[in-house]
Structures are given as structure tokens and as C-alpha cells.
Amino acid sequence: MSSSLLLSIVTFTYLLAALCYGAGWLFRFKMAARLAIWTAWAGLLLHTAGIILRWVESYQLGFGHAPFANFYESLVFGAWAVVLIYLLTEFRYRNYALGVFPLGVAFLAMAYASFSPSVESKIQPLIPALKSNWLIAHVITCFLGYAAFAVACGLGVLYLIKKSRAAPANPGPGVLQHLPSIQTLDELIYQNVVFGFLLLSVGIITGSVWANSAWGNYWSWDPKETWSLITWLVYAFMLHSRMVRGWHGRRMAWLAIIGFFCVLFTYFGVNFLLSGLHSYAR
């Protein structure tokens, strides 16, 4: 079995998991919730195997590089990171009602990578700028950070919905009562943003070292670098506001959403709308 086929199977595994999470949340089907959890973990294991297999295939083709070299591979790794961060959060808080959003995002990312004719899935040799040992550290830290920000964004949306429909002392009617309390959602947003911020910081530092070895400068104000800095500043402002000014609740939820839009533009917008040193990432 090829890595492409295995990763295509993972795509539909995540779709099944997202549907089961939805059924378990909306209709309180415990069997659906259990199936969702097991399906999501099975998808993550298959996903991990698919990434490792693609790495092996790269060596078999004589290229010998980690599977983080093009847009397809970054989408695949980004989806893997989102599912990993979510499942660890779910394991910690034992609430499966949050699973629809991250598994839905992972499914869409994998479907786009696997089935869009505009995304090249073929394993290719590395361009000279990517031939660096810093590539793995830079990509892993950045995408784990992006994944934590994606989960924080989803939690921010749920926080705003729950906050708008129910008073703090009232868990709210219908499906909202199955969500964690707004205090728990607020804390989860904060924890995911702290985790993502630390990893993004490491990713920017490792990227700067890599840029110096590839292009001779630590910082070139390339569009990708500039938007990475903008994203970092948004989350730095968010954490500063919480620690110094005591912001929480709606303000933190909105900043988590705004910050993730910056992440999306850094990843998609810069790749497709702005040209620069990172144009190879299309």
C-alpha cells in the first residue's frame, strides 16, 4: 500500500469520526461518542503510519528527505497535528462534545490535500533552500503551534455561542448544556494559546537560523516572515492582556479567532497571494 492511498483512507476515517462526534453530541448517543473516540485515535495512528511510509518512500526514490517539503505534505502534517492536539485535550478533560470542529478541520485539510487537482502529491527532490537539518525542527514546531491555535479558535467560537445563549449560572438549553462550562472553555483557550505561542516562537527562531544558512540573512522581511511576526504579535498581545490586565472571557475568545485568521493568512494567503522567498511552499 502506498502512502497516498493510506492517507486517503485517513481522510474518510476523520470524516466518520467527525460525524460520530456530531451524533454523540447532538443526540447523546453514547455508542456514537465511543465510536468517534476510537475512530479518531485509529485515524491518528493510520495518519502517523502514512507520514512515516511517505518518509520511507522518499528514501526509496533516492530523495531521502522528511515529508515536510511541499504544500501537500504540510497540509497532511497540519491535519495530523490538529488531531493530536485535540485528542490530548479530550483525554485531559473527558469531554467529547468538542470533537466535531477539529476532526472536521482535519477532514477538510486531508480532503483538499488528497483530492484537489491543484495540490501536487508526488514526492519530489528538495530544492537547495530546503536542504537543511533545520527543516524538520522548523516545520514541526510551527505546525504544532498552528494546530494549538486552530483548537483555541474552535473553543473560542464555542465559548461565544455558549456565552450568548446562557447566563453564567445556567448551562443553557439543548446541546449547549453538554459543552464544558464557559470557565473551562476559557481556560482551555488560554492553555492552547500558551502552548501554540511557545512552539511558534521556537519555530520562528529555528526558521531564522535556517534562513541564515539558506539565504545569508536571519530576517529578510519576506511576506511569510512578516506575517509570521504579525501572528506572533497578536498572540503576544493576547497573553500580555491576560497576564497583566486580567482579560478573559469574550475578549480572549475573539482574540483566539482573530489570531487564527492571521495563521490562515500566513499559511494560505501568503502562499497564494504574495510572492517571496517562501513561494516554493505552494
Side-chain angles (χ1 to χ4, degrees):
M1 179 181 290
S2 68
S3 62
S4 296
L5 178 58
L6 184 56
L7 292 171
S8 297
I9 294 172
V10 170
T11 303
F12 294 103
T13 305
Y14 287 156
L15 174 61
L16 176 61
L19 293 175
C20 290
Y21 272 118
W25 175 30
L26 296 174
F27 306 111
R28 303 300 296 164
F29 289 161
K30 291 185 178 180
M31 183 62 72
R34 293 195 189 99
L35 180 60
I37 296 169
W38 284 108
T39 304
W41 278 105
L44 183 65
L45 291 175
L46 290 175
H47 202 157
T48 305
I51 292 173
I52 294 173
L53 181 57
R54 188 173 177 87
W55 201 332
V56 172
E57 289 172 347
S58 171
Y59 275 90
Q60 291 173 342
L61 291 171
F63 301 141
H65 61 74
F68 311 129
N70 58 29
F71 188 51
Y72 169 84
E73 291 172 346
S74 67
L75 282 170
V76 168
F77 185 72
W80 178 87
V82 168
V83 175
L84 175 66
I85 296 291
Y86 166 70
L87 287 177
L88 292 177
T89 302
E90 180 188 86
F91 182 78
R92 170 70 175 80
Y93 286 90
R94 306 288 182 181
N95 189 307
Y96 56 80
L98 305 173
V100 177
F101 177 78
L103 268 298
V105 168
F107 162 69
L108 292 175
M110 291 297 293
Y112 182 50
S114 299
F115 305 115
S116 173
S118 63
V119 179
E120 177 58 69
S121 62
K122 186 178 179 181
I123 300 176
Q124 298 171 330
L126 287 176
I127 64 173
L130 298 181
K131 293 179 179 177
S132 169
N133 292 328
W134 290 100
L135 171 67
I136 298 176
H138 175 64
V139 173
I140 288 177
T141 50
C142 281
F143 275 89
L144 284 174
Y146 289 172
F149 294 146
V151 173
C153 174
L155 292 166
V157 172
L158 292 176
Y159 178 94
L160 292 174
I161 293 174
K162 186 159 186 174
K163 185 72 175 178
S164 66
R165 298 289 298 275
N170 184 351
V175 297
L176 296 181
Q177 64 181 318
H178 305 307
L179 293 174
S181 67
I182 55 174
Q183 290 82 8
T184 300
L185 288 172
D186 180 64
E187 185 63 22
L188 282 172
I189 293 170
Y190 175 66
Q191 291 175 355
N192 275 282
V193 168
V194 169
F195 183 67
F197 181 77
L198 292 174
L199 288 171
L200 179 62
S201 301
V202 175
I204 290 175
I205 293 171
T206 55
S208 297
V209 177
W210 176 19
N212 184 55
S213 64
W215 300 308
N217 283 313
Y218 287 100
W219 197 266
S220 305
W221 294 107
D222 173 76
K224 178 76 78 175
E225 295 172 351
T226 303
W227 273 94
S228 294
L229 179 61
I230 292 171
T231 301
W232 187 87
L233 288 173
V234 169
Y235 286 109
F237 172 75
M238 181 177 179
L239 296 179
H240 173 81
S241 299
R242 179 158 183 131
M243 290 186 286
V244 177
R245 303 183 65 85
W247 283 17
H248 65 278
R250 281 196 177 95
R251 288 173 172 173
M252 297 297 286
W254 277 113
L255 284 173
I257 295 169
I258 293 170
F260 189 61
F261 273 100
C262 293
V263 170
L264 290 177
F265 189 83
T266 301
Y267 182 58
F268 290 103
V270 171
N271 281 354
F272 292 105
L273 301 177
L274 304 173
S275 62
L277 296 172
H278 290 76
S279 296
Y280 57 81
R282 295 175 183 172

